[in-house]
Amino acid sequence: MTFQTLLYESPAPHVARIVLNRPDSRNAQDTRLLYELNDAFDRAAQDNEVKVIILAANGPHFSSGHDLREGPEGRDMSQYRTVGTWCGFECAGAERLMSREKEIYIGFSERWRNIPKPTIAQVQGKCISGGLMLVWPCDLIVASEDAAFMDNTLLLGVCGAEFFNHPWEVGVRKAKEMLFTADWLSAQDAHRLGMVNHVVPPDQLADFTLALASRIAEKSLFTLKLTKEAVNTAQDVQGRVSAMQTSFALHQLSHSHNYQVHGQAIDPAGVSPSVARHRAQPQGT
Ligand code: ZN
């Protein structure tokens, strides 16, 4: 299994490390990167030698979010082995975009959140919107002191990223402020709110995360899996899944509204001129 957009490493016994490797584009997530990331998670999940999975990123920033510059060629779903059951990627109207976003956005994030093995996100620099959809599905988050988090989808006329986990990550009131203002959430504030487990100096980020992973990897894998499932279920019986489905429907309503008003899935007023020039084709966020 070879990857174009990420690295797959084995840095310590029983630990796999997946590294986003598009640093020149600040690890913007195009369709290929998301499918490769899904394949890499599957590889680690199916490898009996792996107990803990680290998700890291090369370059100064973890991820700038979904790649709004991706053209129609890259977005052509026929070139990927899709994993969901929704399909309909060539349909007309709202069905086409909803199908795509069910597959590669909320579908992947939910899928990764439910990988039985412990996962740890290792975050430096900026982590924006779609970037949250990579780190929030992980069980633990270790951030460097320079890490900062933002969901700026409201500026694009959209009511939050597809994987709408904000209330569970930072609490209801801070989730509203985070979305209403589209302001940065510092690593320190994210730690105080319980979204981040540890904040460490940038030069210690990789070593600290690997040491944490190795400590967990000393434990029984089956017991780790059962423990993870117990905690995830405790969250889900509080209504997380139902709330997520409603948020996703509202998200699709945002896109449909933008198509009617702006002729594309997002409000172009919220993107930079350079991004706007790349968005000749209707596409999602
Ligand atoms: Zn969307």
Side-chain angles (χ1 to χ4, degrees):
M1 191 180 290
T2 58
F3 301 108
Q4 298 176 24
T5 62
L6 51 83
L7 308 173
Y8 188 98
E9 302 172 341
S10 302
H14 308 300
V15 177
R17 184 166 58 202
I18 302 166
V19 185
L20 308 179
N21 196 29
R22 295 187 77 201
D24 292 343
S25 64
R26 303 304 187 225
N27 295 310
Q29 303 162 35
D30 61 9
T31 310
R32 178 167 302 283
L33 180 143
L34 289 168
Y35 273 101
E36 290 194 348
L37 180 54
N38 189 62
D39 286 343
F41 271 129
D42 273 356
R43 174 176 168 181
Q46 293 163 7
D47 184 342
N48 290 333
E49 290 299 310
V50 172
K51 292 185 176 180
V52 181
I53 307 165
I54 295 172
L55 176 61
N58 268 342
H61 300 293
F62 183 85
S63 177
S64 58
H66 297 151
D67 189 350
L68 300 181
R69 291 180 169 83
E70 184 177 26
E73 279 185 18
R75 300 170 61 84
D76 177 4
M77 297 292 281
S78 67
Q79 64 193 300
Y80 305 105
R81 183 181 58 81
T82 58
V83 298
T85 53
W86 188 261
C87 301
F89 307 112
E90 307 305 323
C91 291
E95 184 175 3
R96 182 179 61 84
L97 183 58
M98 185 171 183
S99 300
R100 174 180 169 81
E101 299 204 337
K102 260 192 177 294
E103 164 79 9
I104 67 169
Y105 294 158
I106 191 172
F108 276 166
S109 290
E110 280 288 318
R111 194 167 189 272
W112 302 334
R113 186 259 188 185
N114 292 322
I115 291 170
K117 297 176 181 178
T119 54
I120 307 175
Q122 172 186 311
V123 185
Q124 78 281 10
K126 303 292 192 292
C127 179
I128 302 172
S129 296
L132 300 171
M133 294 169 51
L134 304 189
V135 302
W136 282 349
C138 292
D139 298 313
L140 308 180
I141 300 176
V142 180
S144 73
E145 291 168 344
D146 69 339
F149 306 87
M150 170 198 280
D151 183 337
N152 65 349
T153 52
L154 192 130
L155 305 179
L156 308 173
V158 176
C159 56
E162 288 86 354
F163 185 73
F164 197 85
N165 221 39
H166 313 60
W168 305 98
E169 299 289 349
V170 297
V172 169
R173 202 169 302 282
K174 192 66 181 179
K176 290 174 181 171
E177 182 182 356
M178 182 181 184
L179 288 159
F180 292 169
T181 64
D183 283 345
W184 289 105
L185 183 67
S186 69
Q188 293 74 19
D189 281 346
H191 181 252
R192 181 174 52 80
L193 292 161
M195 185 191 115
V196 162
N197 293 82
H198 300 279
V199 180
V200 299
D203 62 354
Q204 298 175 24
L205 178 64
D207 288 346
F208 183 96
T209 307
L210 185 56
L212 178 61
S214 294
R215 281 182 57 210
I216 295 170
E218 295 169 358
K219 313 295 192 297
S220 150
L221 179 55
F222 186 47
T223 314
L224 289 168
K225 288 177 178 176
L226 297 178
T227 304
K228 174 169 180 172
E229 188 133 322
V231 176
N232 277 6
T233 303
Q235 190 181 37
D236 288 350
V237 296
Q238 297 175 61
R240 189 195 67 89
V241 175
S242 297
M244 184 77 72
Q245 289 170 341
T246 298
S247 304
F248 185 69
L250 297 172
H251 179 100
Q252 295 306 313
L253 176 62
S254 299
H255 283 322
S256 295
H257 175 77
N258 288 327
Y259 268 117
Q260 292 180 44
V261 176
H262 305 293
Q264 58 178 288
I266 60 174
D267 182 345
V271 300
S272 67
S274 63
V275 171
R277 284 195 294 275
H278 284 270
R279 296 187 60 83
Q281 300 291 325
Q283 49 194 302
T285 60

